[in-house]
Amino acid sequence: MKKLLEYRFLDNSLYSWLVALGIIIGSFIIIKLFSFLILRRIKAHSLKTTNIWDDFIIDSVDRFVIPILYFGAIFFSTYYLQLTVKSRSVLHAGYLIICTFFILRIISSAFKRLVSAFVKRKSNAEGKIEQANGLIIVVNILIWFVGFLFLFDNLGYDVTTLLAGLGIGGIAIALAAQAILGDLFNYFVIFFDRPFEIGDFIIVDDKSGTIEQIGIKTTRIRTLGGEQLICSNTDLTNARVHNYKRLERRRIAFQIGVTYQTSSSRLKQIPQMVKAIIESQSEIDYERGNFSGFGDSSLNFEFVYHVLSTDFAFYMDKQEKIYFEIYSLFEQCGIEFAYPTRTLFIKSEESIPDEVLN
């Protein structure tokens, strides 16, 4: 038995390999018991709380820390073995890469959770989370870039030379991709300044539609015609954007023209008649109504009211009801709406005697 244990394989005795294997198995059992007995109970308790961060910590330990412990058990068990310097360096580099990978996963997940928690405090959280995806992608790229720089530095590489090369290359790329970088910068302007958000109805120049997606370079708008309009972020930030989603109430001004044959007593009644019709509608704030002037073919009245809703369909329904009731009331009262007319006066000349014509 002793001779069997002293049998050497890859410059290590069988006994050393068994001890290393025992360390791995024992460590795996301890980690598994910790995950099954302790971590599971903590996770069940955290699900009952309203705090989302305890759930995130437990989930991160389960998804990222536990794998690091498994690989760590394998790596540290090799210290009981006699290995060459090159083999030890390869194992060290592999374990460092694995640890860096899972740590960066933890950092990127924490940033994503932080952004989601911040966005969910606002209204229209689902649309804002979708809008924040571009920010999360950009920051994740920076996190992984910095993480790999630290990794290369710990592996013994000179990152100063690498950074210098990237700096020169970055300048060349920036000069060649000014438009793309400009759109990326304006994406951050849109995200933080929030001139519009996903779901907002906007008008830009002669185009109008609903924001569907805000990307790193472009914003996609679903127009009223049904097609998708794709605009660069730079064009949108430089344009005058009318955001109707931010509309608190609609101010409506309309005119009515009646004929000159309308009596003065009826003219004086019209403002009160229309006012009563407008005020009878719910969620309508009447502002004013006045006899506004003498037109070429009509006596003109101007009325102004506010619809206390941002919904376009609601506004159109109310306007339709008001117009129908005005028309019906004027019809009952015998008040005629004016339309462009012209009166032609013909003056007959005296007839010329036949003697003069002859």
Side-chain angles (χ1 to χ4, degrees):
M1 187 68 176
K2 185 177 180 180
K3 290 183 179 180
L4 181 61
L5 294 176
E6 290 177 354
Y7 173 77
R8 301 191 69 81
F9 176 72
L10 296 178
D11 295 331
N12 289 277
S13 66
L14 181 59
Y15 175 77
S16 299
W17 286 105
L18 290 175
V19 172
L21 182 61
I23 293 173
I24 294 174
I25 295 173
S27 301
F28 276 29
I29 292 173
I30 294 172
I31 296 169
K32 197 67 178 178
L33 289 174
F34 169 77
S35 178
F36 185 77
L37 298 177
I38 299 176
L39 195 62
R40 182 184 250 183
R41 292 184 180 181
I42 296 175
K43 181 182 288 188
H45 176 73
S46 66
L47 293 175
K48 300 177 183 178
T49 63
T50 57
N51 189 354
I52 62 172
W53 286 105
D54 56 355
D55 299 332
F56 170 75
I57 293 172
I58 300 301
D59 185 60
S60 297
V61 171
D62 189 27
R63 293 174 57 198
F64 307 125
V65 177
I66 295 297
I68 292 177
L69 294 178
Y70 280 126
F71 284 109
I74 297 173
F75 174 71
F76 287 109
S77 69
T78 61
Y79 277 93
Y80 197 80
L81 302 173
Q82 297 294 327
L83 301 175
T84 62
V85 175
K86 185 176 181 180
S87 299
R88 185 75 65 188
S89 298
V90 171
L91 287 172
H92 180 267
Y95 183 62
L96 196 59
I97 291 172
I98 291 170
C99 289
T100 303
F101 173 77
F102 283 108
I103 290 172
L104 291 177
R105 288 286 304 275
I106 293 173
I107 296 173
S108 61
S109 298
F111 177 75
K112 184 176 181 180
R113 179 61 64 94
L114 181 65
V115 172
S116 298
F118 174 76
V119 168
K120 285 180 180 178
R121 298 177 185 174
K122 311 294 183 181
S123 59
N124 188 23
E126 185 177 348
K128 288 184 173 65
I129 290 175
E130 186 177 349
Q131 182 180 346
N133 286 335
L135 173 65
I136 293 171
I137 292 172
V138 173
V139 173
N140 278 336
I141 292 173
L142 294 176
I143 290 172
W144 285 85
F145 176 74
V146 174
F148 278 110
L149 284 180
F150 278 108
L151 173 63
F152 290 142
D153 185 57
N154 288 322
L155 290 176
Y157 294 97
D158 186 8
V159 296
T160 305
T161 306
L162 179 62
L163 287 174
L166 290 175
I168 297 172
I171 294 173
I173 294 173
L175 292 174
Q178 294 183 47
I180 296 175
L181 293 176
D183 289 329
L184 176 61
F185 175 78
N186 285 298
Y187 164 78
F188 288 107
V189 172
I190 293 171
F191 180 80
F192 290 106
D193 191 47
R194 299 196 301 275
F196 50 81
E197 298 170 349
I198 293 176
D200 288 4
F201 182 85
I202 66 170
I203 295 179
V204 182
D205 298 330
D206 60 337
K207 304 296 182 181
S208 60
T210 304
I211 301 292
E212 277 195 341
Q213 181 183 350
I214 301 174
I216 296 175
K217 187 181 186 305
T218 60
T219 296
R220 289 166 171 77
I221 303 171
R222 183 66 62 182
T223 66
L224 294 177
E227 71 274 14
Q228 188 179 70
L229 177 66
I230 301 174
C231 302
S232 69
N233 294 332
T234 301
D235 291 341
L236 287 176
T237 53
N238 291 336
R240 290 180 173 86
V241 178
H242 300 264
N243 192 337
Y244 281 86
K245 186 68 177 292
R246 308 284 174 85
L247 186 71
E248 294 181 355
R249 60 179 188 171
R250 294 178 182 270
R251 183 178 185 271
I252 313 301
F254 68 96
Q255 291 187 343
I256 294 176
V258 298
T259 62
Y260 273 92
Q261 286 74 28
T262 308
S263 64
S264 60
S265 60
R266 279 298 188 192
L267 287 178
K268 294 177 181 178
Q269 294 173 359
I270 288 176
Q272 293 301 320
M273 294 165 61
V274 177
K275 178 181 178 181
I277 292 173
I278 295 175
E279 289 184 337
S280 66
Q281 301 294 322
S282 60
E283 296 191 58
I284 297 293
D285 184 15
Y286 178 80
E287 182 176 316
R288 64 178 178 82
N290 304 98
F291 177 40
S292 59
F294 297 92
D296 292 337
S297 306
S298 62
L299 301 170
N300 298 325
F301 292 83
E302 184 178 67
F303 299 92
V304 180
Y305 66 92
H306 299 268
V307 179
L308 307 180
S309 173
T310 60
D311 184 38
F312 183 78
F314 179 85
Y315 144 69
M316 288 299 295
D317 289 340
K318 292 296 180 180
Q319 180 176 261
E320 181 184 57
K321 290 180 180 179
I322 290 172
Y323 286 174
F324 276 147
E325 292 192 19
I326 291 173
Y327 190 91
S328 177
L329 182 61
F330 279 25
E331 189 178 39
Q332 294 175 11
C333 297
I335 302 173
E336 295 184 2
F337 289 98
Y339 49 86
T341 57
R342 291 289 184 271
T343 302
L344 180 63
F345 295 94
I346 300 175
K347 181 179 180 182
S348 60
E349 297 290 341
E350 294 182 4
S351 58
I352 300 176
D354 295 336
E355 295 82 4
V356 176
L357 293 175
N358 296 328

